Amino acid sequence: MRADKEGVYNYAEVMPAFPGGEKELRKFVQSNLEYPQEALDNDVEGQVMVEFSVDEAGKVYTPRVVSEPIGYGLEAAALNVVKKFPKWEPGRIKGKNVKTRFSLPITYALL
């Protein structure tokens, strides 16, 4: 486990966690994600992979899309959800809070 030049770890003994866990994370994304009208009008579905870092205090920062672009506003909508995240439980190595990188797939599916 080594930090990159920005002091961020790609992996930690204890990875960052959304308050309330995975179920609450899914609920938060589902209730805050807006399906762009342009994507709806064109029947566009897909998955946007967003990568972000969680600092030692649990603050989410530097979200960016790391998947191939789909377009139709899906990437911007996915980033907007991540920017609304509350503080997370930070990642830890040997009991110490560390900056940790986290990847999150956000799936758009028409019903």
Side-chain angles (χ1 to χ4, degrees):
M1 289 178 272
R2 291 199 134 149
D4 65 13
K5 62 182 186 271
E6 289 132 24
V8 180
Y9 290 84
N10 283 324
Y11 178 78
E13 291 169 352
V14 177
M15 289 298 287
F18 189 84
E22 184 76 27
K23 185 176 176 185
E24 289 301 313
L25 173 59
R26 280 195 302 274
K27 200 186 307 182
F28 183 93
V29 170
Q30 191 172 28
S31 63
N32 286 278
L33 184 64
E34 292 184 27
Y35 213 122
Q37 191 61 49
E38 186 183 6
L40 290 169
D41 293 345
N42 290 283
D43 294 329
V44 176
E45 297 181 322
Q47 187 176 77
V48 175
M49 183 64 75
V50 179
E51 182 181 273
F52 54 90
S53 297
V54 178
D55 72 11
E56 300 93 337
K59 182 176 184 258
V60 172
Y61 68 103
T62 63
R64 65 189 184 105
V65 174
V66 295
S67 53
E68 289 294 317
I70 301 167
Y72 300 92
L74 297 179
E75 288 80 12
L79 286 173
N80 285 338
V81 169
V82 172
K83 290 175 184 174
K84 293 178 183 177
F85 280 163
K87 284 192 172 186
W88 285 45
E89 289 294 320
R92 291 199 306 279
I93 295 176
K94 295 182 182 171
K96 182 180 176 212
N97 292 356
V98 295
K99 295 177 189 170
T100 312
R101 195 163 283 113
F102 195 90
S103 294
L104 178 69
I106 297 179
T107 302
Y108 293 90
L110 296 168
L111 302 176

